[in-house]
Amino acid sequence: MSWLDNIAKIWQRQDQSIARLDSLALPEPRLAQERQDSFQNSRSGLGTTLDRHRDTTWKRRPGEHLDRETLLSLYRYHPIARRICRKPPEVAISKGLDLREETIDIPTRDPLRLAIKQSKLLDRVRWARVLARLYGGSLLIPNFKGVKADTLSNPMGEGQQGEIVDFRVIHRYKVSDTVYDALGSPEVYAIESRNADIIQVHASRVWRFDGIELPEEAAEENNSWYDSYLHSAWDALRDAGVGVSAMATQLHRSNMLVWKIKDLHDMILRGPDGKANIQSWMEIEADMMGVINGALVDSEGEDVQFLSPVMKETVEVYQALQFEVASVYGWPMTQLYGRSPAGLNSTGEADAKTWAGIIAGEEQVPMMDALDWLLPQLPEWRDTIEVSWPPLYQMTEEEEATVDSLREEVKAKRSNRYLEEVREGVLLADEVTQTLYGGDDPEVELDAKLRKEMEDAQAAEGSSEDEDDQDDDLDDEDDDQDDSGEGDKEDPKKNEDE
């Protein structure tokens, strides 16, 4: 039976169908949730959860969490959910580590750099953070050579680790049970191995990464773990997915062909001949459109046109849903959806600065805490090494020139002030020189040792000058005495002459 036969039967029974609809009694709607006020209508559903004008989506119950299967499905099949979990840790380690020893960069072939690269330490830390964002928590466990499974429940002592083989990453759902101490801190984790065995691992042997922090009572309901980063954004992610589906449906129906045929109703009711004429005419029109990209219609009452829905409003709604998802995390749209910077004279620098701050706070801080614990366990580690992250945001040439100019201006003002204090004797010239050219501290650091040496030198110099003055005084007295003795002595030759 063709579709024209179905249309004919529907129209032939139109009157009977309308009569039957008039005789139907509407069932009483069931209230899914009672309201506390009186603005309800049990027959129409207005004012209840069945009212789609007031309740357009389902809500989770208080305390309900997304389960493991839902989170895994979101990670595997939802591109934005996967980006939320993966992108921040990947950006955090994208530039590696800055390793310095006595303010000098460690060379590439240094044993420590080679050990970090061979053990895939940064990649394991990244993956642990991804699982923590996805499931709400994860454990990073160093696997030491020669350590037996039955000794993992004991605390890890210094000098007992040995050589690290690799690093194991376990998400929270692999932890079957946790033993807590008297203060509520984790003491021993019961972890499911690949052989379906339960291994007891002491908390001092693992580093724990957490998801979004929860109050204590909420964390207890979640087996003392924190929330997934996808939990709070699930409603926004679902709404954005509905927007994508709506646009896709409109795109699929954007080229709908509409035939306006004169006396179509009468032709269908004529029987097989009328239906055959309609079908033949439509086949001819379809062939003509394929050959000449056009259609032949009667000038009276017939027409062929395409229905193209207006997509502008749908696109605006979808963009609003995207902003809702971005606002949940405070991410720039340029990073979450890969959109170009929008706005007058927008260059994306503000988004880049915001993004760098988010990565530094959410990812690099907990990662560095873990590295401060993991790196000293490598045999190649040296206590004189300083570890830091390279800057994620690089200033432009204009910004660097502006910063340098302001820095020189401030330095000139400080130099003038310090010069006056040196002249007044408040500061020493060596202290000012060390401050201006020997360090990053803008304030003068008083050198007690230098001041003591200068005081001793001045005291020694003053005592030597006093001794010289006393010697000069004694010499002057001797000269005076000599002069007075020569004046009183009589000249014998003069007396003889006299």
Side-chain angles (χ1 to χ4, degrees):
M1 182 181 295
S2 65
W3 60 274
L4 290 174
D5 296 331
N6 293 331
I7 294 177
K9 287 187 176 183
I10 292 174
W11 284 357
Q12 288 175 357
R13 293 180 295 182
Q14 182 177 8
D15 294 338
Q16 293 86 350
S17 299
I18 294 176
R20 290 179 59 192
L21 289 175
D22 291 339
S23 62
L24 291 177
L26 294 176
E28 293 290 337
R30 181 176 61 87
L31 298 181
Q33 181 179 357
E34 294 289 344
R35 290 170 54 91
Q36 299 300 321
D37 52 38
S38 60
F39 297 99
Q40 293 180 353
N41 189 317
S42 60
R43 177 172 293 276
S44 65
L46 293 176
T48 68
T49 55
L50 300 178
D51 182 7
R52 307 316 301 169
H53 294 84
R54 308 188 65 144
D55 191 4
T56 58
T57 182
W58 59 274
K59 302 295 183 183
R60 290 190 301 274
R61 296 188 302 272
E64 183 180 2
H65 294 267
L66 298 178
D67 56 17
R68 175 182 178 181
E69 289 74 17
T70 303
L71 293 173
L72 182 58
S73 298
L74 286 172
Y75 181 80
R76 296 184 64 183
Y77 305 114
H78 198 295
I80 302 302
R82 183 167 60 251
R83 181 176 299 176
I84 291 171
C85 296
R86 291 183 61 91
K87 188 168 184 176
E90 291 176 352
V91 174
I93 68 167
S94 59
K95 295 186 177 182
L97 287 173
D98 273 346
L99 301 177
R100 293 176 175 269
E101 190 169 15
E102 297 179 356
T103 69
I104 300 176
D105 290 339
I106 295 179
T108 306
R109 304 299 299 177
D110 186 85
L112 179 60
R113 286 191 181 273
L114 294 177
I116 294 174
K117 184 177 180 180
Q118 292 174 359
S119 63
K120 298 181 180 180
L121 175 57
L122 288 182
D123 183 70
R124 295 292 85 193
V125 172
R126 174 199 64 83
W127 182 237
R129 282 299 304 163
V130 172
L131 293 181
R133 295 176 68 90
L134 173 61
Y135 292 120
S138 65
L139 301 178
L140 181 61
I141 308 174
N143 185 15
F144 294 100
K145 184 176 181 180
V147 176
K148 298 181 180 180
D150 54 355
T151 62
L152 294 177
S153 59
N154 300 325
M156 183 173 62
E158 296 182 0
Q160 301 177 2
Q161 301 92 321
E163 181 182 355
I164 294 180
V165 180
D166 60 2
F167 297 91
R168 305 295 300 169
V169 179
I170 306 296
H171 61 74
R172 54 159 292 194
Y173 289 104
K174 287 289 186 179
V175 181
S176 60
D177 192 13
T178 306
V179 178
Y180 298 91
D181 59 14
L183 297 178
S185 300
E187 187 173 4
V188 178
Y189 294 100
I191 300 175
E192 298 178 5
S193 66
R194 294 181 177 179
N195 300 328
D197 298 331
I198 302 299
I199 300 177
Q200 304 289 335
V201 181
H202 196 270
S204 62
R205 295 180 177 271
V206 305
W207 186 267
R208 172 170 168 166
F209 289 104
D210 290 316
I212 296 180
E213 191 173 5
L214 290 176
E216 183 177 358
E217 57 274 13
E220 291 178 355
E221 295 176 358
N222 198 27
N223 295 327
S224 298
W225 292 94
Y226 288 166
D227 252 349
S228 167
Y229 274 73
L230 302 180
H231 181 75
S232 58
W234 166 233
D235 293 337
L237 288 171
R238 188 194 59 250
D239 293 342
V242 172
V244 174
S245 300
M247 288 195 303
T249 302
Q250 289 190 358
L251 286 175
H252 285 301
R253 296 179 178 178
S254 60
N255 292 327
M256 183 181 295
L257 189 61
V258 178
W259 304 83
K260 294 184 179 180
I261 302 176
K262 184 179 180 180
D263 299 329
L264 176 62
H265 187 272
D266 296 335
M267 293 175 66
I268 293 176
L269 295 179
R270 289 174 187 173
D273 294 336
K275 291 183 290 184
N277 292 335
I278 295 174
Q279 190 170 0
S280 175
W281 179 77
M282 294 180 65
E283 292 176 354
I284 294 174
E285 291 296 333
D287 293 339
M288 295 297 296
M289 293 182 65
V291 175
I292 65 173
N293 195 22
L296 298 176
V297 296
D298 195 333
S299 60
E300 296 182 2
E302 294 184 358
D303 189 13
V304 179
Q305 59 180 296
F306 289 95
L307 285 182
S308 298
V310 180
M311 299 289 295
K312 181 179 179 181
E313 290 79 3
T314 306
V315 172
E316 292 177 353
V317 171
Y318 176 59
Q319 291 178 352
L321 296 175
Q322 287 181 332
F323 279 112
E324 181 185 4
V325 178
S327 65
V328 173
Y329 300 102
W331 285 25
M333 293 287 290
T334 54
Q335 299 295 335
L336 184 58
Y337 288 97
R339 296 179 54 182
S340 300
L344 185 62
N345 298 327
S346 179
T347 60
E349 293 183 7
D351 290 348
K353 293 180 180 179
T354 302
W355 179 244
I358 293 174
I359 298 301
E362 287 188 1
E363 299 302 320
Q364 289 186 339
V365 170
M367 283 184 175
M368 184 56 66
D369 293 339
L371 291 174
D372 290 340
W373 178 73
L374 292 168
L375 287 175
Q377 300 182 35
L378 296 175
E380 296 81 5
W381 173 257
R382 301 183 295 275
D383 293 336
T384 56
I385 296 178
E386 297 180 358
V387 184
S388 62
W389 296 109
L392 294 174
Y393 176 75
Q394 299 291 340
M395 292 187 297
T396 62
E397 295 182 358
E398 295 181 356
E399 290 177 337
E400 290 180 355
T402 302
V403 171
D404 292 340
S405 177
L406 293 175
R407 191 173 296 164
E408 292 297 330
E409 182 179 352
V410 172
K411 189 174 182 178
K413 293 181 179 179
R414 285 166 46 206
S415 301
N416 295 332
R417 178 168 61 88
Y418 293 156
L419 181 60
E420 294 295 331
E421 294 179 350
V422 169
R423 291 174 179 173
E424 295 175 359
V426 178
L427 298 177
L428 302 179
D430 292 340
E431 294 174 340
V432 174
T433 303
Q434 178 65 24
T435 300
L436 294 177
Y437 303 102
D440 298 330
D441 192 357
E443 298 297 331
V444 176
E445 182 178 356
L446 301 181
D447 194 337
K449 182 178 179 181
L450 178 61
R451 287 175 172 267
K452 181 71 166 108
E453 292 176 354
M454 294 190 66
E455 290 177 358
D456 294 341
Q458 291 177 357
E461 184 179 356
S463 61
S464 62
E465 290 179 356
D466 293 339
E467 293 177 356
D468 293 340
D469 293 339
Q470 293 178 2
D471 294 339
D472 293 340
D473 294 339
L474 293 175
D475 293 341
D476 293 340
E477 291 180 358
D478 294 339
D479 294 339
D480 294 341
Q481 292 178 0
D482 293 341
D483 293 340
S484 61
E486 291 179 355
D488 297 337
K489 187 177 180 181
E490 297 183 353
D491 188 0
K493 185 178 180 180
K494 181 178 180 183
N495 295 332
E496 291 179 356
D497 293 339
E498 292 178 355

